[in-house]
Structures are given as C-alpha cells and as structure tokens.
Amino acid sequence: MIIKEIRMRRMEMRMKHPFTTSFGTMQDKPFLLIEAIDEEGNSGWGESVAFSYPWYAEETVETNVHVIRDILVPLLIGREISHPDEVNEIFAPIRRNNMAKAAVEGAVWDLYSKRNKLTLAEALGGDKEKIDVGISIGIQDSKEKMVETVRGFIEQGYKRMKLKIKPGADIEILRAVREAFPDVPLMADANSAYTLEDIELLKMLDDFDLMMVEQPLAHDDIIDHAKLQEELETPVCLDESIHSLEDARKAVELGSCKIINVKIGRVGGLTEAKKIHDYCVGKGIDLWCGGMLEAGIGRGHNVALTTLPGFTLPGDTAGSDRYWEEDIITPAVEAVDGEITVPSGYGIGYEPDLEKVNKYTVGEEVFRAEGTEAAR
Ligand code: OSB
Ligand code: MG
C-alpha cells in the first residue's frame, strides 16, 4: 500500500469527571487524531495519547504536532509499505517521541488490517473474543469517598480496582478499601511519587494483599525499583519507566519489576508493544494494557492489543461511558461485567463517527504525497 495522504486533526473533548493522579488533575482532553489514506481511498485511524502538559511523559500535544508534521509524515508519505512493522523501522532513527510515532503507526495498522480484511486483533496475532478489564480510580477527597467510588465500580463488574496514591493519600485509603472489600482484586499506582527514603511506608503495602504496586519510584529509574522489589512481597509493576523492548529487557534482567503495564503510545506503537509482549511471554512476566484516558480510536487500539495471549491481567481499558458523555466511535466501547467483547469489524472494529469527530475537531492539517492526486 502507498500512504497517499495523512490528516492530522486537533481534537478537544472534556471528560465527564476530573481525574486526579499524584502529578495533577485532568478534565479537558486536547489530543490528536491521525488518518492515513492509501491509493485506493481506504483510511486508517490513530490517536495520540500525549497530554497538553508534560507531567506523565515529556511529550505534549504541541510537540506531537511538530514531530508528526515536520518529521514523521515526510518519512512516510508517498511510501510503499507492505506491513506496519516497517513503520517501526522507518521511525527507528528518530529518538523517542514515542506517542507521536504510535499515533501515526496506529493509523497504518488500522489501514493495513482493513485492506487485508482482518480485525486489528487478528492482524496483531490476538486470539481473545473478550477481554477482562479493570478500572483506574483517581485520588478522591477522602477515604470514605474512595470506598464509595470503589463500591460503584465493583457493582458495575470491573475486574480489578486500581487506586491512585500519593504521599499523604496512601496507606489509610488502601486500608479502608481493603477492610470494606476483603476479596476485591486491588492495586495501587503512585505515578512516581515516592523514593527509596519511603521504604518503610512502601513495605506497609504488603499488608493489603495488592496484586501489584505500579511505578512507585522515579519515572526514569530501574535501579531503585530493583532494590525496592527485593524488599517487597507485593509485585512491582512498571509503567513510566518502560519505553521499548530494550527497557523491558533491562528491567526484567535487573529484577526491577514482575509485571509491565504496556501503553501503546509510551512504547512507540503496536509493533514495539508486540515485541515487548513476545519477550515477556518468554520470561514469564505478566502484562496488562494501560490507559491514557483515550477517546474511542485509542481505546479501540487498546482493546485489540489486549487480545494477545500475554496480556494475562485485567487492563485499564474501561468502557467509553466511564470517560465521555458521547464517544467519537460507533459503537462505543462497552464493558459488561468487566468484559469487553472484541468487535468483529475490520481494523479496530469501531467506526469513527464523522459527525462526532467533526464536532470535537478544532483544527486540521492535510499532507499529500507530492505529485499525486489526493485520494479523495
Ligand atoms: O499511570 O496509568 C497511569 C491516566 C493518565 C496518566 C497516567 C495514568 C492514567 C491512568 C488512567 O491510570 C488509565 C485510564 O483509565 O485510561
Ligand atoms: Mg500508571
């Protein structure tokens, strides 16, 4: 296939509820949608998961606009591609900027799957018809509020509860939730809010029978996480620290984690995510698919990735209604009793609803291969 045209839309949506982590509170969600169009007029869609502010990772919506427009699009446009894995190779000389790469590569994966009459899950090698999902719950104003919020999501059937924690909002909250729900699968995500100086506090996590603690220490650390894992019964899961197969290999070799949260954007796309998957399956490292508060396109990519067999634990891909009054895809992603049925349509299997996509579009740039007619 030849990528004849790439469209980059700036989107602005607002989540139903604010979401608070150790690094701050988010509700407005500016993001980018990428549409890649081939010589037959087929199109594939990708979503950038970069936020407007670099608190989770160094990329932002604006750095993604620059990198996609000025660097990635020129490398891809007008090129003959036989498989999306080639995009990973074409982008390899560009350092980092993984969310920008993933947005473009994701559009090519969707396009490739549609052209070849495959679901994206099939194209990736996934085999599940349903995926198990949990919920990520932001920091609440009080432990009572957290207990009630958890109760609501248990009633909805989500298969595990992930509580955001930070210094001052950690042990007492986990204790209250564990006492209220002695058997619920529970975990905590610190988004890098602690250091090894907090070791005594972190050891107290072992009292709550947590599935794991996610990214307790610095975003760019795998050494101290290895020291911490030595001291903890609770498995450490890495999120922010893992940007590539090489990062995963080093963390596993050092003993920095027992579990990895794979986010397509953070690792630079589905091809790299698959490489991490294959390596971790060989090493017995459990995986799950993380979330970045995505709208429907990115959510659809997450559903497809989770169908790979190594995604053994419930992920953060909740239903669209957890985030949005209306999503930009049809049908919306629906979680029933903590399960999402993988759609059977080609590509991501959720169609962009162009009326809604247009409603939330605040800008668009169109790039066309030189000397060619626009595909449409
Ligand atoms: O650390 O996994 C994280 C949201 C924004 C930034 C980082 C994280 C999260 C979540 C929410 O945990 C996941 C989701 O519901 O999409
Ligand atoms: Mg996390």
Side-chain angles (χ1 to χ4, degrees), residues 206-218:
D206 284 343
D207 293 344
F208 306 122
D209 188 25
L210 302 182
M211 295 171 79
M212 69 196 89
V213 57
E214 180 176 345
Q215 198 72 33
L217 309 179

Side-chain angles (χ1 to χ4, degrees), residues 23 25 33 69 163 179 293 341 344:
F23 53 65
T25 298
L33 284 183
R69 178 212 295 126
L163 309 193
E179 276 174 8
L293 312 169
T341 301
S344 54

Side-chain angles (χ1 to χ4, degrees), residues 19 21 23 26 51 56 136 162 164 189 191 214 239-240 261 263 288 290-294 299 316-318 322-323:
F19 188 84
T21 69
F23 53 65
M26 292 181 275
F51 298 128
Y56 167 83
S136 175
K162 163 169 140 181
K164 293 290 190 179
D189 183 1
N191 288 106
E214 180 176 345
D239 172 354
E240 282 90 327
N261 162 343
K263 291 183 184 171
W288 54 278
M292 291 287 278
L293 312 169
E294 289 90 346
R299 198 160 295 282
D316 275 350
T317 309
R322 189 262 189 279
Y323 310 85

Side-chain angles (χ1 to χ4, degrees), residues 74-327:
L75 286 173
L76 205 59
I77 198 98
R79 254 177 113 143
E80 171 93 57
I81 306 273
S82 56
H83 189 276
D85 286 346
E86 290 163 27
V87 179
N88 179 276
E89 279 168 44
I90 292 167
F91 290 168
I94 309 304
R95 292 194 179 161
R96 298 285 191 134
N97 293 289
N98 285 350
M99 295 173 184
K101 291 175 180 173
V104 177
E105 191 232 49
V108 177
W109 268 103
D110 183 36
L111 173 58
Y112 167 86
S113 311
K114 285 177 180 154
R115 271 182 71 114
N116 290 281
K117 302 205 181 324
L118 296 168
T119 67
L120 178 57
E122 288 165 346
L124 290 166
D127 59 1
K128 296 175 196 150
E129 286 172 13
K130 289 181 174 192
I131 61 164
D132 287 343
V133 291
I135 191 98
S136 175
I137 305 174
I139 294 167
Q140 306 290 312
D141 294 337
S142 67
K143 62 183 182 204
E144 292 76 18
K145 184 88 199 302
M146 181 61 96
V147 169
E148 286 323 299
T149 304
V150 169
R151 188 187 311 282
F153 286 122
I154 291 173
E155 282 165 7
Q156 288 179 40
Y158 282 103
K159 301 225 173 186
R160 66 98 173 100
M161 304 290 132
K162 163 169 140 181
L163 309 193
K164 293 290 190 179
I165 57 168
K166 67 174 182 182
D170 43 33
I171 300 299
E172 292 312 311
I173 290 165
L174 288 166
R175 178 172 293 123
V177 170
R178 184 44 96 207
E179 276 174 8
F181 311 106
D183 303 318
V184 75
L186 187 64
M187 60 174 288
D189 183 1
N191 288 106
S192 297
Y194 299 87
T195 72
L196 278 185
E197 294 194 358
D198 302 307
I199 186 85
E200 291 311 317
L201 181 142
L202 291 167
K203 279 186 183 169
M204 292 169 74
L205 297 175
D206 284 343
D207 293 344
F208 306 122
D209 188 25
L210 302 182
M211 295 171 79
M212 69 196 89
V213 57
E214 180 176 345
Q215 198 72 33
L217 309 179
H219 72 97
D220 54 357
D221 167 76
I222 55 171
I223 306 288
D224 286 356
H225 278 109
K227 291 183 184 159
L228 177 66
Q229 182 67 91
E230 281 271 301
E231 302 284 323
L232 285 193
E233 289 290 326
T234 307
V236 171
C237 168
L238 289 177
D239 172 354
E240 282 90 327
S241 298
I242 306 297
H243 301 275
S244 61
L245 170 62
E246 273 299 282
D247 284 353
R249 177 183 68 76
K250 289 167 190 166
V252 170
E253 284 184 13
L254 275 174
S256 318
C257 64
K258 294 180 179 159
I259 300 170
I260 294 177
N261 162 343
V262 180
K263 291 183 184 171
I264 302 165
R266 201 192 63 233
V267 304
L270 285 164
T271 296
E272 195 73 19
K274 240 177 94 68
K275 290 184 196 173
I276 293 171
H277 168 270
D278 296 350
Y279 170 78
C280 287
V281 167
K283 293 289 174 187
I285 298 292
D286 284 307
L287 299 177
W288 54 278
C289 180
M292 291 287 278
L293 312 169
E294 289 90 346
I297 302 291
R299 198 160 295 282
H301 281 86
N302 290 344
V303 170
L305 179 65
T306 307
T307 65
L308 293 176
F311 285 78
T312 49
L313 299 170
D316 275 350
T317 309
S320 299
D321 66 348
R322 189 262 189 279
Y323 310 85
W324 312 110
E325 291 295 347
E326 57 179 13
D327 206 339

